[in-house]
Every structure is written in C-alpha cells, then in structure tokens.
Amino acid sequence: MTISHNLLYIVTIFFTLFQLVFSLNEQMKTTPPLPILPLPSYSQLKWQQREIIMFFHFGVNTFTDSEWGTGHESPSIFNPTGLNANQWADTAAQAGVSLMILTAKHHDGFCLWPSKYTNHSVIGSPWKNGHGDVVQEFVNAAKARGIDVGLYLSPWDRHDSRYGQNKEYNEYYLAQLQELLNRYGGVREIWFDGAKGSNATNMTYYFNDWFSMVKELQSTINIFSDAGPDVRWVGNENGYAGDTCWSTINATSLSIGNASIANYINTGDSRGTNWIPAECDVSIRKGWFWHKSQKPKKLSELLDIYYKSVGRNCVLLLNVPPNTTGLISESDVQTLKQLRGAINTIFSFNLAENCHVEVSGTRGGKNGGFGPENVLDDDHLWTYWAPNEEDKENYWIEFKVKSGKIKFNVVRIQEAIGLGQRVKEHEVYVDGIKVVKETTIGYKRLHRLKLGIVEAHGVRIKIVKAKGTPLISSVGLHFDPFWKPKVDVTSKMVH
Ligand SMILES: *[C@@H]1O[C@H](CO)[C@@H](O)[C@H](O)[C@H]1NC(C)=O
Ligand SMILES: *[C@@H]1O[C@H](CO)[C@@H](O)[C@H](O)[C@H]1NC(C)=O
Ligand SMILES: *[C@@H]1O[C@H](CO)[C@@H](O)[C@H](O)[C@H]1NC(C)=O
Ligand SMILES: *[C@@H]1O[C@H](CO)[C@@H](O)[C@H](O)[C@H]1NC(C)=O
Ligand SMILES: *[C@@H]1O[C@H](CO)[C@@H](O)[C@H](O)[C@H]1NC(C)=O
Ligand SMILES: *[C@@H]1O[C@H](CO)[C@@H](O)[C@H](O)[C@H]1NC(C)=O
C-alpha cells in the first residue's frame, strides 16, 4: 500500500465514524418525564378514548309505559314482534359509538336472556315462543359491526322472592352474573347501581364478591358503579360533569348508593390516590325506557351535554331506548345522525393547523421529541408538548395566524393522561385578552367561548398550576356553527 492509499483509508474510516456519531446524535431523544400517580389501567385508557357509548333500556317497562316495574308484570306482555338488534347496532355505528350496554335485567326482575335460575324471563314470553334471547341477539349484532358489549344486571329485584334474604339473593345474583359473563364472549363494561327497595333496608349487596367474580371471568372489563372500581358515576343523570373534573379520587371515601358523595364524584379529587374516571349517563329522551308520548332531545341540548361530559374529561353514556316493536324509533335515529354530523362538522377541521406555534420552552430543546408540533398530530395520548421544567408555573403555548385572522368559538385542549392528570388551572387568551379561566383539563377539555365567535390573530393557552410539568397532547381551535351563546357579543372584545 502507498502512503496516499493509507491516507485515503484513514480519511474514509474517520468520515464513517463521524457519520455514525452524527446519526446517533440525531436518534438520541430526551426521555419522557416520570409519571405522576395514579395512572389509568389499559382498559380505562381504552374506555376513555371511546368518548360516546350507548345504553339500551329495554324490558317489560317498554310495554307498560313505565320507568320502574313492580316485579308483578306477566312475561306474556313482552312481545317485540319486530325486534332487530342489527338496527340498534347500525344506529350505534352511525353515531360513532364503539360500546353498547344492554339492561339484561332492570329493577322489575324480568330477564332478557333465558336464565337457568328463574322463569321470569323471555322464556315465559310469547316472543319467539319463549325461545328468544335478547342478550344473544344484542351481542351478535354488536360484534358483527366491531362494537364492544356491556351489560347491566340490576341488583334491585322486585320480582324474585329471594330478594331481602342476603345469602339466598346474593347467590342468585352471582349465579346470573356467571351466566352473563360466561355465555356471551367478551364483555367490556358491567354496570352496577345501588338501588334498593325501601322495604328491604336489610338487604346487603355483596359487592366485593360480585366484583371479584367479574374480574375473574372478564380480564379487560371495566366495572362501573357510584364508587368504581374502574369507572365512577358522575353523580347525576343529566349528563353533566363538574366544571372541575379529576379522574383521580379517593376510593376509601366512596360507597355505593350513598347520596352524600354526589358532589365528590362529580368533581373528583386533585389529591385522589385512585384513578376512577367519571361516566355521564343520560337519556336521549326524558325517560330511560321508551314511551310513546316522549320525543328525543333537541340537537342543541345534546351538544350541550356533549360539551359538559366529553368536554369535561368524561365518557358520555347516552341511552337510546328501543320501542315496543323492538326497534329504535326513527326520530331517535335521525337525532343521533344530526349529533354525529354536528360533532364531525365542528371537530374535523382544526384552525390551529394554519398557525405558527410558539411555546415557553420545551423539554430537551427543539429536537428532544417533545416540541409543540406534537399537539397538532393525530396521537392524543403518547405524543405531547412537554415544557421546560424550569419554567415552573409559567408555561404557555401560543398559536399565531400566518396571515389574516382565524374565526373560531371553541378551544380544545387535551392532556397526555397516560402519564397522569396534572393541570389544576389554565387560562386562554385571545389577542392578549383573557377569555377562559378554568381548572382541570384531563383527557379532553372543550371551551365554548362565551363571547361567541371570535376573529383573532393569536391564541395563547397558559398553564397556571399543575402537578409537576403539564403534558399537552393536543390543541384545537374550532368553529361550532350550532353554538349560540346567550349574550352574543360577536367578536367585540373590550380591553
Ligand atoms: C314459574 O315458576 C313458578 C314456580 O315454579 C310457577 O309457579 C310459575 O307458574 C312459573 N311461571 C311460568 C310463567 O312458567
Ligand atoms: C316489598 O314491597 C313490595 C310491594 O311494594 C312487595 O311486593 C314485596 O314482597 C316486599 N318485599 C319484602 C322483602 O318485604
Ligand atoms: C332488619 O333486621 C333487623 C335486625 O336483624 C330486624 O329487627 C328487622 O325486622 C329487619 N327488617 C326487615 C324489614 O326485615
Ligand atoms: C356516605 O358518605 C359519607 C361521606 O363520605 C360518609 O360519611 C358516610 O359514612 C357514608 N355512608 C355510608 C352508609 O357508607
Ligand atoms: C385523598 O387522599 C389524599 C392522600 O391520602 C389526601 O391528602 C386527601 O386529603 C384526600 N382527599 C380528601 C377529600 O379527603
Ligand atoms: C318503532 O320504530 C320503528 C322504526 O322507526 C317504527 O317502524 C315502528 O313503527 C316503531 N314502533 C312504534 C310502536 O312506535
């Protein structure tokens, strides 16, 4: 080898090494911050992302025009001659719903499946000559459309003679739970309430036994009750979460069927040691069961519910009751179509995408992987803007229009809850003027601006207080053409 060959050789090696180091440098990202406990479980995270789920109240009450049956109804009145669970599931799919929950048994004790432990069920009805099984048809229809299934089995039973005798009734209830959770494949949510007969104050529900059995039979199920353990009630049946709504709460302060916890479960607890997010149950009509005399709520009411449930860090459980034919009434189908259409209209376009983004600082600098560009991608959990830890309590992210102005009336902010819910206080400024001063964000927070439609050059979101560094996974500036604030001060902001 000549000297020049050697030199070329050395230069080549040096150059290769340089390239290697340079590319390694490019790949090396800053590590994510430590989580702030408690965290959601895998199943709770899946549940949260569903946003809207659907309840189907159906049973003897549908045929007696009542909300609470007496338990004395004859199974012979149950005859939904045109029952087609595919139509229910199509309705759910059209509404963008990924989980549908059925009242397998309501307080009247009538079972929508052929239970081995009672004849107060579809067995005694003329429907399909007593050979029908609504639960099976419900499950088949949902699964054929890729929709998950949930079930409600009322603890209160006004029919069964064992009700009131603790051992006998709890055995009966557990026997039915086993039937439902063994026979019908995967069940993703089970719904419990604490309702009791006023003449059965001594009746004790063995919730610990029930919950253990549920988890044994269905590993990815979420158990809903006033007190969780996986999903908690929001404390009312209007579909409204608290203005402040933490997914964290202290399980030790909760009990089922206890009216005095209604406010606590409505807002959660910033210092709570358990992750038990809230579900907002509400009916599309006044009643939970179908009544000929009732009509679905108006679109504006349903949107209000959406903003106060999904827009306050909760999942909306919307009840849509099948009628006596065994179908979802056309008026409900149309209303749901409108609701889904409206939500898509409002949120499919994000005006923030037309803006430059600036921030107070970024964890690991520009190329660390936590930059503000993450709030504009499609991942609302695992990519996020993480500010610089040193900027304590002075964190902000600002969107500046590239040219002209943007016209909007809704601000959407989301936290990367996979690392814990953190934000305690936040504010929104439009062209330097404070238009929102609120508390929690959570998975999703939606602010409809009280000012109405705003035309602006820039929007700044300030995180005023948080547990540790706030992690913002998504931000949206949207235009809601359906939103009519009570006082319309269109685009007039006063200093
Ligand atoms: C249900 O069973 C009870 C007790 O065995 C019996 O008295 C009743 O007639 C049965 N009802 C029906 C509808 O079969
Ligand atoms: C409770 O009252 C209902 C009537 O309101 C009755 O049918 C039922 O047998 C009573 N239950 C108990 C345990 O006394
Ligand atoms: C409830 O239990 C108490 C004590 O065991 C008993 O005295 C009372 O009669 C029971 N009440 C009912 C409604 O069964
Ligand atoms: C109901 O909740 C309150 C407030 O947490 C608590 O003090 C009370 O003991 C609870 N009652 C029952 C019966 O669990
Ligand atoms: C919840 O538990 C935490 C930790 O024990 C405690 O600091 C907090 O005060 C509790 N919240 C309430 C409302 O008692
Ligand atoms: C139930 O809804 C279906 C679908 O809209 C309709 O055809 C049927 O007439 C309704 N039944 C009753 C009793 O209203």
Side-chain angles (χ1 to χ4, degrees), residues 249-253 264 268-274:
I249 201 159
N250 289 336
T252 50
S253 301
Y264 188 54
D269 187 343
S270 63
R271 288 177 300 176
T273 54
N274 303 93

Side-chain angles (χ1 to χ4, degrees), residues 87 290 292 322-333:
Q87 188 248 9
W290 180 81
K292 200 180 174 62
N323 63 25
T324 50
T325 309
L327 295 169
I328 307 297
S329 303
E330 190 56 26
S331 55
D332 300 82
V333 173

Side-chain angles (χ1 to χ4, degrees), residues 70 72 158 163-164 199-200:
T70 61
H72 300 298
R158 306 183 78 182
Y163 193 79
N199 62 352

Side-chain angles (χ1 to χ4, degrees), residues 221-295:
I221 201 166
N222 284 310
I223 298 177
F224 168 100
S225 83
D226 293 0
D230 302 311
V231 176
R232 74 175 195 259
W233 188 39
V234 78
N236 62 65
E237 292 185 343
N238 308 322
Y240 295 166
D243 233 345
T244 295
C245 193
W246 290 93
S247 295
T248 53
I249 201 159
N250 289 336
T252 50
S253 301
L254 303 179
S255 46
I256 301 172
N258 182 348
S260 63
I261 65 168
N263 289 334
Y264 188 54
I265 58 182
N266 192 241
T267 61
D269 187 343
S270 63
R271 288 177 300 176
T273 54
N274 303 93
W275 187 275
I276 312 177
E279 188 171 282
C280 303
D281 59 322
V282 64
S283 186
I284 193 168
R285 291 157 172 243
K286 185 163 182 292
W288 291 93
F289 287 88
W290 180 81
H291 305 285
K292 200 180 174 62
S293 61
Q294 295 182 356
K295 286 191 170 62

